[in-house]
Amino acid sequence: DTCFTEGLFLQNTTDGAEVFESCGLYGRSYLRRYLLHTGETRQKVTVSKELFSEGLSTLGKSMYMLTYQRHQVLEFDTLTFKEMRRHPFPYGEGWGLTTDGCDLLATTGSEYVFRLRPGPDGTLQLVSKLRVVHNGQPVRMLNELEYVTPKLWVNQWHTNYIWRVDLLTGECEVKLDIRSLHKWHGESTPNGIGYSPTLGETSLLITGKRWPTMFLLRLTAEDLCDLHVGDLPAAPACPRAPPSACWQAAPPKASAAPVG
């Protein structure tokens, strides 16, 4: 069965990049972890048949999965894939999910990106919602998404477009048209964006629902995350933001050992 891709993120291991993928449809939803370069499945769990799995992301020691119309976010242990908790998601249908290292960023098929933050008791709290626009007009049908510090990349459902969004203003700054990658029909739309500097600092991994292939797009740092030659990148809002072509966190300072 080719995955009906609804969520996707990458994780680095000693033997290469691993893909974590959420595959949707009622009665056929599952989560899978596999090695990108060989396709070797390392972990797989079937999702309850009454659920349609959607966006997928990790934050801290947990992995979170949106559900399509059950208004829930499922929380899993990232290592064991064991379900630990269910959180309410009363903001609409669940579509896409990613993280900036501190919060979860979710889409619902509307023009909004919802920022969710785990509270002291672990519950997900709505912090804010951002309206995404292009030339003053709302960009709706926002779907699968990926945070590439400090920008957001998002698929627009039933189009060939992937937008780069400024998370401070909501403005769409760059549009990729990927129609030449794969000829799709019906619901087999483009949907799936992954990023890992180990695949190339300025590259995006792209796929779609039931697509037999993933594509690695090589961009410039300016297009990927708005880094211009000679610029000094500003620190992102989240101190745990993942590294990108536009941001490298400073290594922790070594403390001096006492002498004598």
PDB file of all heavy atoms in Angstrom, residues 185-207:
ATOM      1  N   HIS A 185      -3.679  12.883  -9.822  1.00  0.00           N
ATOM      2  CA  HIS A 185      -5.101  12.994 -10.136  1.00  0.00           C
ATOM      3  C   HIS A 185      -5.909  12.876  -8.844  1.00  0.00           C
ATOM      4  O   HIS A 185      -5.485  12.240  -7.876  1.00  0.00           O
ATOM      5  CB  HIS A 185      -5.534  11.893 -11.108  1.00  0.00           C
ATOM      6  CG  HIS A 185      -4.769  11.856 -12.394  1.00  0.00           C
ATOM      7  ND1 HIS A 185      -5.055  12.684 -13.453  1.00  0.00           N
ATOM      8  CD2 HIS A 185      -3.699  11.105 -12.786  1.00  0.00           C
ATOM      9  CE1 HIS A 185      -4.222  12.440 -14.442  1.00  0.00           C
ATOM     10  NE2 HIS A 185      -3.380  11.483 -14.057  1.00  0.00           N
ATOM     11  N   GLY A 186      -7.107  13.469  -8.848  1.00  0.00           N
ATOM     12  CA  GLY A 186      -8.047  13.299  -7.735  1.00  0.00           C
ATOM     13  C   GLY A 186      -7.477  13.746  -6.408  1.00  0.00           C
ATOM     14  O   GLY A 186      -7.031  14.880  -6.262  1.00  0.00           O
ATOM     15  N   GLU A 187      -7.466  12.820  -5.446  1.00  0.00           N
ATOM     16  CA  GLU A 187      -7.014  13.148  -4.089  1.00  0.00           C
ATOM     17  C   GLU A 187      -5.529  12.873  -3.866  1.00  0.00           C
ATOM     18  O   GLU A 187      -5.036  13.053  -2.747  1.00  0.00           O
ATOM     19  CB  GLU A 187      -7.846  12.349  -3.065  1.00  0.00           C
ATOM     20  CG  GLU A 187      -9.314  12.734  -3.041  1.00  0.00           C
ATOM     21  CD  GLU A 187      -9.516  14.224  -2.768  1.00  0.00           C
ATOM     22  OE1 GLU A 187      -8.844  14.768  -1.868  1.00  0.00           O
ATOM     23  OE2 GLU A 187     -10.323  14.848  -3.476  1.00  0.00           O
ATOM     24  N   SER A 188      -4.824  12.437  -4.890  1.00  0.00           N
ATOM     25  CA  SER A 188      -3.391  12.138  -4.736  1.00  0.00           C
ATOM     26  C   SER A 188      -2.567  13.411  -4.878  1.00  0.00           C
ATOM     27  O   SER A 188      -1.646  13.510  -5.702  1.00  0.00           O
ATOM     28  CB  SER A 188      -2.967  11.084  -5.764  1.00  0.00           C
ATOM     29  OG  SER A 188      -3.668   9.884  -5.558  1.00  0.00           O
ATOM     30  N   THR A 189      -2.909  14.388  -4.065  1.00  0.00           N
ATOM     31  CA  THR A 189      -2.341  15.730  -4.172  1.00  0.00           C
ATOM     32  C   THR A 189      -0.933  15.808  -3.581  1.00  0.00           C
ATOM     33  O   THR A 189      -0.553  14.966  -2.759  1.00  0.00           O
ATOM     34  CB  THR A 189      -3.231  16.735  -3.424  1.00  0.00           C
ATOM     35  OG1 THR A 189      -3.248  16.372  -2.037  1.00  0.00           O
ATOM     36  CG2 THR A 189      -4.647  16.727  -3.957  1.00  0.00           C
ATOM     37  N   PRO A 190      -0.165  16.827  -3.962  1.00  0.00           N
ATOM     38  CA  PRO A 190       1.088  17.077  -3.262  1.00  0.00           C
ATOM     39  C   PRO A 190       0.801  17.286  -1.775  1.00  0.00           C
ATOM     40  O   PRO A 190      -0.098  18.049  -1.414  1.00  0.00           O
ATOM     41  CB  PRO A 190       1.615  18.362  -3.910  1.00  0.00           C
ATOM     42  CG  PRO A 190       0.959  18.409  -5.258  1.00  0.00           C
ATOM     43  CD  PRO A 190      -0.395  17.796  -5.054  1.00  0.00           C
ATOM     44  N   ASN A 191       1.537  16.603  -0.909  1.00  0.00           N
ATOM     45  CA  ASN A 191       1.328  16.755   0.535  1.00  0.00           C
ATOM     46  C   ASN A 191       2.452  16.047   1.267  1.00  0.00           C
ATOM     47  O   ASN A 191       2.456  14.827   1.375  1.00  0.00           O
ATOM     48  CB  ASN A 191      -0.019  16.171   0.964  1.00  0.00           C
ATOM     49  CG  ASN A 191      -0.511  16.788   2.256  1.00  0.00           C
ATOM     50  OD1 ASN A 191      -0.450  18.009   2.422  1.00  0.00           O
ATOM     51  ND2 ASN A 191      -1.002  15.967   3.172  1.00  0.00           N
ATOM     52  N   GLY A 192       3.395  16.795   1.746  1.00  0.00           N
ATOM     53  CA  GLY A 192       4.504  16.223   2.479  1.00  0.00           C
ATOM     54  C   GLY A 192       5.776  17.009   2.232  1.00  0.00           C
ATOM     55  O   GLY A 192       6.273  17.051   1.109  1.00  0.00           O
ATOM     56  N   ILE A 193       6.274  17.656   3.300  1.00  0.00           N
ATOM     57  CA  ILE A 193       7.502  18.454   3.222  1.00  0.00           C
ATOM     58  C   ILE A 193       8.386  18.048   4.391  1.00  0.00           C
ATOM     59  O   ILE A 193       7.943  18.036   5.539  1.00  0.00           O
ATOM     60  CB  ILE A 193       7.211  19.970   3.323  1.00  0.00           C
ATOM     61  CG1 ILE A 193       6.089  20.384   2.365  1.00  0.00           C
ATOM     62  CG2 ILE A 193       8.471  20.782   3.061  1.00  0.00           C
ATOM     63  CD1 ILE A 193       5.551  21.784   2.640  1.00  0.00           C
ATOM     64  N   GLY A 194       9.632  17.695   4.100  1.00  0.00           N
ATOM     65  CA  GLY A 194      10.581  17.359   5.152  1.00  0.00           C
ATOM     66  C   GLY A 194      11.855  18.152   4.992  1.00  0.00           C
ATOM     67  O   GLY A 194      12.239  18.522   3.869  1.00  0.00           O
ATOM     68  N   TYR A 195      12.520  18.411   6.114  1.00  0.00           N
ATOM     69  CA  TYR A 195      13.772  19.160   6.060  1.00  0.00           C
ATOM     70  C   TYR A 195      14.759  18.575   7.065  1.00  0.00           C
ATOM     71  O   TYR A 195      14.409  18.297   8.221  1.00  0.00           O
ATOM     72  CB  TYR A 195      13.558  20.635   6.383  1.00  0.00           C
ATOM     73  CG  TYR A 195      14.861  21.422   6.411  1.00  0.00           C
ATOM     74  CD1 TYR A 195      15.481  21.807   5.224  1.00  0.00           C
ATOM     75  CD2 TYR A 195      15.491  21.736   7.606  1.00  0.00           C
ATOM     76  CE1 TYR A 195      16.693  22.502   5.233  1.00  0.00           C
ATOM     77  CE2 TYR A 195      16.694  22.434   7.626  1.00  0.00           C
ATOM     78  CZ  TYR A 195      17.293  22.811   6.443  1.00  0.00           C
ATOM     79  OH  TYR A 195      18.490  23.484   6.452  1.00  0.00           O
ATOM     80  N   SER A 196      15.978  18.373   6.618  1.00  0.00           N
ATOM     81  CA  SER A 196      17.091  18.001   7.483  1.00  0.00           C
ATOM     82  C   SER A 196      18.364  18.524   6.842  1.00  0.00           C
ATOM     83  O   SER A 196      18.625  18.231   5.667  1.00  0.00           O
ATOM     84  CB  SER A 196      17.184  16.484   7.646  1.00  0.00           C
ATOM     85  OG  SER A 196      18.402  16.138   8.301  1.00  0.00           O
ATOM     86  N   PRO A 197      19.177  19.286   7.568  1.00  0.00           N
ATOM     87  CA  PRO A 197      20.415  19.816   6.986  1.00  0.00           C
ATOM     88  C   PRO A 197      21.343  18.721   6.467  1.00  0.00           C
ATOM     89  O   PRO A 197      22.158  18.972   5.568  1.00  0.00           O
ATOM     90  CB  PRO A 197      21.057  20.577   8.155  1.00  0.00           C
ATOM     91  CG  PRO A 197      19.920  20.927   9.053  1.00  0.00           C
ATOM     92  CD  PRO A 197      18.957  19.788   8.940  1.00  0.00           C
ATOM     93  N   THR A 198      21.204  17.495   6.987  1.00  0.00           N
ATOM     94  CA  THR A 198      22.084  16.416   6.543  1.00  0.00           C
ATOM     95  C   THR A 198      21.796  15.995   5.102  1.00  0.00           C
ATOM     96  O   THR A 198      22.641  15.382   4.451  1.00  0.00           O
ATOM     97  CB  THR A 198      21.951  15.180   7.455  1.00  0.00           C
ATOM     98  OG1 THR A 198      20.601  14.713   7.429  1.00  0.00           O
ATOM     99  CG2 THR A 198      22.345  15.525   8.878  1.00  0.00           C
ATOM    100  N   LEU A 199      20.606  16.323   4.583  1.00  0.00           N
ATOM    101  CA  LEU A 199      20.286  16.016   3.186  1.00  0.00           C
ATOM    102  C   LEU A 199      20.734  17.134   2.252  1.00  0.00           C
ATOM    103  O   LEU A 199      20.587  17.025   1.035  1.00  0.00           O
ATOM    104  CB  LEU A 199      18.778  15.807   3.021  1.00  0.00           C
ATOM    105  CG  LEU A 199      18.167  14.617   3.764  1.00  0.00           C
ATOM    106  CD1 LEU A 199      16.677  14.529   3.472  1.00  0.00           C
ATOM    107  CD2 LEU A 199      18.864  13.317   3.395  1.00  0.00           C
ATOM    108  N   GLY A 200      21.258  18.185   2.836  1.00  0.00           N
ATOM    109  CA  GLY A 200      21.630  19.383   2.077  1.00  0.00           C
ATOM    110  C   GLY A 200      21.011  20.568   2.785  1.00  0.00           C
ATOM    111  O   GLY A 200      19.801  20.611   2.985  1.00  0.00           O
ATOM    112  N   GLU A 201      21.847  21.514   3.183  1.00  0.00           N
ATOM    113  CA  GLU A 201      21.369  22.618   4.027  1.00  0.00           C
ATOM    114  C   GLU A 201      20.255  23.422   3.389  1.00  0.00           C
ATOM    115  O   GLU A 201      19.452  24.031   4.087  1.00  0.00           O
ATOM    116  CB  GLU A 201      22.536  23.546   4.390  1.00  0.00           C
ATOM    117  CG  GLU A 201      23.327  23.089   5.586  1.00  0.00           C
ATOM    118  CD  GLU A 201      24.093  24.232   6.231  1.00  0.00           C
ATOM    119  OE1 GLU A 201      24.380  25.214   5.516  1.00  0.00           O
ATOM    120  OE2 GLU A 201      24.379  24.143   7.429  1.00  0.00           O
ATOM    121  N   THR A 202      20.202  23.439   2.052  1.00  0.00           N
ATOM    122  CA  THR A 202      19.187  24.251   1.384  1.00  0.00           C
ATOM    123  C   THR A 202      18.200  23.384   0.607  1.00  0.00           C
ATOM    124  O   THR A 202      17.618  23.830  -0.382  1.00  0.00           O
ATOM    125  CB  THR A 202      19.840  25.282   0.442  1.00  0.00           C
ATOM    126  OG1 THR A 202      20.613  24.584  -0.543  1.00  0.00           O
ATOM    127  CG2 THR A 202      20.730  26.236   1.217  1.00  0.00           C
ATOM    128  N   SER A 203      17.996  22.145   1.053  1.00  0.00           N
ATOM    129  CA  SER A 203      17.124  21.213   0.327  1.00  0.00           C
ATOM    130  C   SER A 203      15.834  20.924   1.085  1.00  0.00           C
ATOM    131  O   SER A 203      15.821  20.881   2.319  1.00  0.00           O
ATOM    132  CB  SER A 203      17.857  19.892   0.074  1.00  0.00           C
ATOM    133  OG  SER A 203      18.982  20.087  -0.752  1.00  0.00           O
ATOM    134  N   LEU A 204      14.760  20.707   0.335  1.00  0.00           N
ATOM    135  CA  LEU A 204      13.485  20.263   0.889  1.00  0.00           C
ATOM    136  C   LEU A 204      13.138  18.906   0.287  1.00  0.00           C
ATOM    137  O   LEU A 204      13.290  18.688  -0.908  1.00  0.00           O
ATOM    138  CB  LEU A 204      12.363  21.253   0.555  1.00  0.00           C
ATOM    139  CG  LEU A 204      12.344  22.592   1.272  1.00  0.00           C
ATOM    140  CD1 LEU A 204      11.197  23.456   0.728  1.00  0.00           C
ATOM    141  CD2 LEU A 204      12.194  22.416   2.785  1.00  0.00           C
ATOM    142  N   LEU A 205      12.650  17.996   1.128  1.00  0.00           N
ATOM    143  CA  LEU A 205      12.159  16.704   0.665  1.00  0.00           C
ATOM    144  C   LEU A 205      10.654  16.832   0.438  1.00  0.00           C
ATOM    145  O   LEU A 205       9.915  17.256   1.328  1.00  0.00           O
ATOM    146  CB  LEU A 205      12.446  15.627   1.712  1.00  0.00           C
ATOM    147  CG  LEU A 205      12.188  14.183   1.287  1.00  0.00           C
ATOM    148  CD1 LEU A 205      13.228  13.743   0.261  1.00  0.00           C
ATOM    149  CD2 LEU A 205      12.197  13.254   2.498  1.00  0.00           C
ATOM    150  N   ILE A 206      10.206  16.472  -0.753  1.00  0.00           N
ATOM    151  CA  ILE A 206       8.822  16.703  -1.171  1.00  0.00           C
ATOM    152  C   ILE A 206       8.178  15.387  -1.616  1.00  0.00           C
ATOM    153  O   ILE A 206       8.806  14.584  -2.305  1.00  0.00           O
ATOM    154  CB  ILE A 206       8.770  17.703  -2.353  1.00  0.00           C
ATOM    155  CG1 ILE A 206       9.435  19.029  -1.980  1.00  0.00           C
ATOM    156  CG2 ILE A 206       7.326  17.928  -2.810  1.00  0.00           C
ATOM    157  CD1 ILE A 206       8.781  19.765  -0.849  1.00  0.00           C
ATOM    158  N   THR A 207       6.913  15.179  -1.237  1.00  0.00           N
ATOM    159  CA  THR A 207       6.160  14.033  -1.739  1.00  0.00           C
ATOM    160  C   THR A 207       4.670  14.387  -1.769  1.00  0.00           C
ATOM    161  O   THR A 207       4.296  15.555  -1.643  1.00  0.00           O
ATOM    162  CB  THR A 207       6.435  12.770  -0.906  1.00  0.00           C
ATOM    163  OG1 THR A 207       5.918  11.621  -1.586  1.00  0.00           O
ATOM    164  CG2 THR A 207       5.819  12.856   0.481  1.00  0.00           C
TER     165      THR A 207
END
